[in-house]
Amino acid sequence: MCGIVGYIGKRPAVGIIIDGLKDLEYRGYDSAGIALLDNKNQAGFVIKQAGRVEGLEKLILDSQVPASSVGVGHTRWATHGLPTTINAHPQFNTAKTIFVVHNGIIENYLELKSFLITKKYKFISQTDTEVVPQLIDYYYRKTKSLDRAFEETIKSIKGAYAIVMASTYQPDKLYVAKLSSPLVIGVGKNEYIIASDPTPIMQYTKEVVYLEDFEIAVIDRHGYRIKHIEKDINVERKAELLDLDVSKASMGDFPTYMLKEIFEAPQTIMSATLGRVRLETNTVKLGGLESVEGQLKFIDRIVIVACGTSSYAGLLGEYLIEEIAGIPVEVQLSSEFKYRHEPFSRSTALIAISQSGETADTIAALKKVDDYGVLKLGIVNVVGSTIARMTDAGVYTHAGPEYAVASTKAFIAQVVVLIQIALMLAGPNKLYRPLLKELIELPNKVQLVLDQAPKIEQIAKKYVNYRDFIFIGRNYDYPAALEGALKLKEISYIHAEGYAAGEMKHGPIAMIDKDFPTFALACNSPLIDKTYSNIEEIKARGGPVVAIANKGNTTIKKLANDIIYVPKSLEQTQAILEVIAMQLFAYYIASQKGLNVDKPRNLAKSVTVE
Ligand code: BG6
């Protein structure tokens, strides 16, 4: 899960590549580097280091960088080898004539490495990627053709990869290859910007070409040639138009992307229901599922596959679809689903939920059922992403670009889409109309939660030094508690667990003491009395309690140390308001700890390797 950028054109490449790497830093940020081909003598110039792109930029400003309009760049999330300068990309051949940036994992790199070592090749890094430029070098010496050398090399590697290669042997070309990891080619006027996703491209051009698996392409200033190496055929592919709004990419007046994205929740809900929820006709219209509406009628089981925050949205979806549409649903973590042996009937539908649409585990889960003949649906945020293109039908969440590594608005949009899918599958029933109306009223209620931000910040101040936290909830609040705990873990590095409130007495309550606070979801529901008893049990062990409750709830005042009041909503939608309050709570704890909330340590926005 790295970010890669390539540029070939007329403009100075260095600035375009560095800006592109900054846009992609959410994919990995432990080391970065670029390679440029000197316009004058075509020599290769590499500069790389451990640490953020801004550090690399400073290094470049202090260095004699040649004038160059061809180059590649990389921002890394280490998989093989520590985040050091040697292991940073670009990796190159011993003669420093071939420069490669790679996102993914070369699964057979050890085998290739030992073969090349028998051919007297020397390796300086601990990376899997270094075998690529060395192998290209090997085939180039054999074939005297860089095109052939590149193709032979790509045919020899196994695993997941998005690769961009530049070489002094062909200084007017860039070579790219894709398998599983994302790669987009931005088509400009006599210039091409290659990147892991459209973000670094959209300020230069809205015309893009998506490479498919097993495709390679050779790009020069006049065009690109695509070849499918498995089918051994040339591929004609026209550029398609990006419908991404550049303005949404900026942080606006917010100090961080995460806070901006939390505060976008009202707009996010409106965008996820726009043209879909029709109160006047009492209907839900999901255009992206119309092509499979007939098949959906025969679905008698749904399996949801996802990772991280998307899996908790999926778990809320399980509760929603089962209650509203009466169809049994099972959420499975994608990384587990791929290797489980379970029966699948053709009347089962698989729903893949992913913000990025590029998460390798979820892609692998979809590939697993390729020959099962089951309906594959996607709930995805990034338009044109791999999961969007490999599913039979789906629903975009329209939450706009999400940059902060910890997902916030995408979760809200995923839950709102899952409510609409449940209603579409159910057809009119007693929950139908109230839920349609609530989806329209939610943005205002969400704004009332966001207005609590200063109060939530004050409460967070009291809990910033605790080392452990447990989040509890019942029914719809259980998945919400899991998501609340994940947010705190992701950005504050505090150990936090989400737990079904009823399970506390079967184990976790043993941990409770004055140093182990509990975050209790206690909004009005048929189960509120049971939640009160759970809070009492915690109080009895001296555990501090922060609670989320509905306005006017006086009972909770006697139980909790701190209370965040949120507007009343339906049982099925209350979790949306609660999760936003917990996103803010986690945010203020992490920012008060002075942590980088947008780029938490050890994480990345989308994990494109298994
Ligand atoms: C992790 C992200 O890498 O992947 C999480 O840090 C995210 O925020 C998870 O929830 C799943 O990603 P996606 O894009 O498949 O929803």
Coordinates of all heavy atoms in Angstrom, one line a residue, residues 460-493:
A460 N -13.2 15.1 26.2 CA -12.0 14.3 25.8 C -10.8 14.7 26.6 O -10.0 13.8 27.0 CB -11.8 14.6 24.3
K461 N -10.7 16.0 27.0 CA -9.6 16.4 27.7 C -9.4 15.6 29.0 O -8.3 15.3 29.4 CB -9.8 17.9 28.1 CG -9.3 18.9 27.1 CD -9.0 20.3 27.7 CE -8.5 21.2 26.6 NZ -9.6 22.2 26.2
K462 N -10.5 15.2 29.6 CA -10.5 14.5 30.9 C -10.0 13.1 30.7 O -9.6 12.4 31.7 CB -11.9 14.5 31.5 CG -12.4 15.8 31.9 CD -13.9 15.8 32.3 CE -14.1 14.9 33.5 NZ -15.6 15.0 33.9
Y463 N -10.0 12.5 29.5 CA -9.7 11.1 29.3 C -8.5 10.9 28.5 O -8.2 9.8 28.1 CB -11.0 10.4 28.6 CG -12.2 10.4 29.5 CD1 -13.1 11.5 29.5 CD2 -12.4 9.4 30.4 CE1 -14.2 11.5 30.4 CE2 -13.5 9.4 31.3 CZ -14.3 10.4 31.3 OH -15.4 10.4 32.1
V464 N -7.7 12.0 28.2 CA -6.6 11.9 27.3 C -5.5 11.0 27.8 O -4.7 10.4 27.1 CB -6.1 13.3 26.9 CG1 -5.3 13.9 28.1 CG2 -5.3 13.3 25.7
N465 N -5.4 10.9 29.2 CA -4.2 10.1 29.7 C -4.6 8.7 30.1 O -3.7 7.9 30.6 CB -3.7 10.8 30.9 CG -3.1 12.2 30.5 OD1 -2.5 12.2 29.4 ND2 -3.4 13.2 31.2
Y466 N -5.8 8.2 29.8 CA -6.1 6.8 30.1 C -5.4 5.9 29.1 O -5.3 6.3 27.9 CB -7.6 6.6 30.2 CG -8.3 7.1 31.4 CD1 -8.9 8.4 31.4 CD2 -8.3 6.4 32.6 CE1 -9.5 8.9 32.5 CE2 -8.9 6.9 33.7 CZ -9.5 8.1 33.7 OH -10.1 8.6 34.8
R467 N -5.1 4.7 29.5 CA -4.4 3.8 28.5 C -5.3 2.7 28.0 O -5.0 2.0 27.0 CB -3.2 3.1 29.2 CG -2.1 4.2 29.6 CD -0.8 3.5 29.8 NE -0.5 2.6 28.6 CZ -0.4 3.1 27.4 NH1 -0.6 4.3 27.1 NH2 -0.1 2.2 26.4
D468 N -6.5 2.6 28.6 CA -7.4 1.6 28.2 C -8.8 2.1 28.1 O -9.1 3.0 28.9 CB -7.4 0.4 29.1 CG -6.0 -0.2 29.3 OD1 -5.6 -0.9 28.3 OD2 -5.3 0.1 30.3
F469 N -9.6 1.6 27.2 CA -11.0 2.0 27.1 C -11.9 0.9 26.6 O -11.4 0.0 25.8 CB -11.1 3.2 26.0 CG -11.6 4.5 26.6 CD1 -10.7 5.5 26.8 CD2 -12.9 4.7 26.9 CE1 -11.1 6.7 27.3 CE2 -13.3 5.9 27.4 CZ -12.4 7.0 27.6
I470 N -13.1 0.8 27.0 CA -14.0 -0.2 26.5 C -15.3 0.5 26.1 O -15.7 1.4 26.7 CB -14.3 -1.4 27.4 CG1 -14.9 -2.6 26.7 CG2 -15.2 -1.0 28.6 CD1 -14.6 -3.9 27.4
F471 N -15.8 0.1 24.9 CA -17.0 0.8 24.3 C -18.1 -0.3 24.4 O -17.8 -1.4 23.9 CB -16.7 1.2 22.9 CG -15.9 2.5 22.8 CD1 -14.5 2.4 23.1 CD2 -16.4 3.7 22.3 CE1 -13.7 3.5 23.0 CE2 -15.6 4.8 22.2 CZ -14.2 4.7 22.5
I472 N -19.2 0.0 24.9 CA -20.3 -1.0 25.0 C -21.6 -0.5 24.4 O -21.9 0.7 24.4 CB -20.5 -1.5 26.5 CG1 -21.0 -0.3 27.3 CG2 -19.3 -2.1 27.0 CD1 -21.5 -0.8 28.7
G473 N -22.3 -1.5 23.8 CA -23.6 -1.1 23.2 C -24.4 -2.4 23.0 O -23.8 -3.5 23.0
R474 N -25.7 -2.3 22.9 CA -26.6 -3.4 22.6 C -27.3 -3.3 21.3 O -27.6 -2.2 20.8 CB -27.7 -3.5 23.7 CG -27.2 -4.1 25.0 CD -28.2 -4.1 26.1 NE -27.8 -4.8 27.3 CZ -27.9 -6.1 27.5 NH1 -28.4 -6.9 26.6 NH2 -27.4 -6.7 28.7
N475 N -27.6 -4.4 20.6 CA -28.3 -4.4 19.3 C -27.6 -3.5 18.3 O -26.4 -3.7 18.2 CB -29.7 -4.0 19.6 CG -30.6 -4.4 18.4 OD1 -30.3 -5.4 17.7 ND2 -31.8 -3.8 18.3
Y476 N -28.2 -2.5 17.7 CA -27.5 -1.7 16.7 C -26.3 -0.9 17.3 O -25.4 -0.5 16.6 CB -28.5 -0.6 16.1 CG -29.5 -1.2 15.2 CD1 -30.8 -1.6 15.6 CD2 -29.2 -1.5 13.9 CE1 -31.7 -2.1 14.7 CE2 -30.1 -2.1 13.0 CZ -31.4 -2.4 13.4 OH -32.3 -2.9 12.6
D477 N -26.4 -0.8 18.6 CA -25.3 0.0 19.3 C -24.0 -0.9 19.4 O -22.9 -0.4 19.7 CB -25.7 0.5 20.6 CG -26.7 1.7 20.5 OD1 -26.8 2.2 19.3 OD2 -27.3 2.1 21.5
Y478 N -24.1 -2.2 19.2 CA -22.9 -3.1 19.3 C -22.0 -2.8 18.2 O -20.8 -2.4 18.4 CB -23.4 -4.5 19.4 CG -22.2 -5.5 19.3 CD1 -21.0 -5.3 20.0 CD2 -22.3 -6.6 18.4 CE1 -20.0 -6.2 19.8 CE2 -21.3 -7.5 18.2 CZ -20.1 -7.3 18.9 OH -19.0 -8.1 18.8
P479 N -22.4 -2.9 16.9 CA -21.5 -2.5 15.8 C -21.0 -1.0 16.0 O -19.8 -0.7 15.7 CB -22.3 -2.6 14.6 CG -23.5 -3.5 14.9 CD -23.7 -3.3 16.4
A480 N -21.9 -0.1 16.5 CA -21.4 1.3 16.7 C -20.3 1.3 17.7 O -19.3 2.1 17.6 CB -22.6 2.1 17.2
A481 N -20.4 0.5 18.8 CA -19.4 0.5 19.8 C -18.1 0.0 19.2 O -17.0 0.5 19.5 CB -19.8 -0.4 21.0
L482 N -18.2 -1.0 18.4 CA -16.9 -1.6 17.7 C -16.3 -0.5 16.9 O -15.0 -0.3 17.0 CB -17.3 -2.7 16.8 CG -17.8 -4.0 17.5 CD1 -18.4 -5.0 16.5 CD2 -16.6 -4.7 18.3
E483 N -17.1 0.3 16.2 CA -16.5 1.4 15.4 C -15.9 2.5 16.2 O -14.8 3.1 15.9 CB -17.5 2.0 14.4 CG -17.1 3.1 13.5 CD -15.8 2.9 12.7 OE1 -15.4 1.7 12.6 OE2 -15.2 3.9 12.3
G484 N -16.6 2.8 17.3 CA -16.1 3.9 18.3 C -14.7 3.5 18.8 O -13.8 4.3 18.8
A485 N -14.6 2.2 19.2 CA -13.3 1.7 19.7 C -12.2 1.7 18.7 O -11.1 2.1 18.9 CB -13.5 0.3 20.3
L486 N -12.6 1.4 17.4 CA -11.6 1.4 16.3 C -11.1 2.8 16.1 O -9.9 3.0 15.9 CB -12.2 0.8 15.1 CG -11.3 0.7 13.8 CD1 -10.0 -0.1 14.1 CD2 -12.0 0.2 12.6
K487 N -12.0 3.7 16.1 CA -11.5 5.1 15.8 C -10.5 5.6 16.9 O -9.5 6.1 16.6 CB -12.7 6.1 15.8 CG -13.5 6.0 14.5 CD -12.8 6.7 13.4 CE -12.5 5.9 12.1 NZ -12.8 4.6 11.9
L488 N -10.8 5.3 18.1 CA -9.9 5.7 19.2 C -8.5 4.9 19.0 O -7.5 5.5 19.1 CB -10.5 5.4 20.6 CG -9.7 6.0 21.8 CD1 -9.7 7.5 21.7 CD2 -10.3 5.5 23.1
K489 N -8.6 3.6 18.7 CA -7.3 2.9 18.5 C -6.5 3.5 17.4 O -5.3 3.7 17.5 CB -7.7 1.4 18.1 CG -7.9 0.5 19.2 CD -8.1 -1.0 18.7 CE -9.5 -1.2 18.2 NZ -10.1 -2.5 18.8
E490 N -7.2 3.7 16.3 CA -6.5 4.1 15.0 C -5.7 5.4 15.2 O -4.6 5.5 14.7 CB -7.5 4.3 13.9 CG -8.0 3.1 13.2 CD -9.1 3.4 12.2 OE1 -10.1 4.1 12.5 OE2 -8.9 3.1 11.0
I491 N -6.3 6.4 15.9 CA -5.6 7.7 15.8 C -5.0 8.1 17.2 O -4.2 9.0 17.2 CB -6.6 8.8 15.3 CG1 -7.8 8.9 16.3 CG2 -7.1 8.5 13.9 CD1 -8.7 10.1 15.9
S492 N -5.4 7.5 18.3 CA -4.8 7.9 19.6 C -3.8 6.8 20.1 O -3.2 7.1 21.1 CB -5.9 8.1 20.6 OG -6.4 6.9 21.1
Y493 N -3.9 5.7 19.5 CA -3.0 4.5 19.9 C -3.4 4.0 21.3 O -2.6 3.3 21.9 CB -1.5 4.9 19.8 CG -1.1 5.6 18.6 CD1 -0.1 6.6 18.6 CD2 -1.8 5.5 17.4 CE1 0.3 7.3 17.5 CE2 -1.5 6.2 16.3 CZ -0.4 7.1 16.3 OH -0.1 7.9 15.2

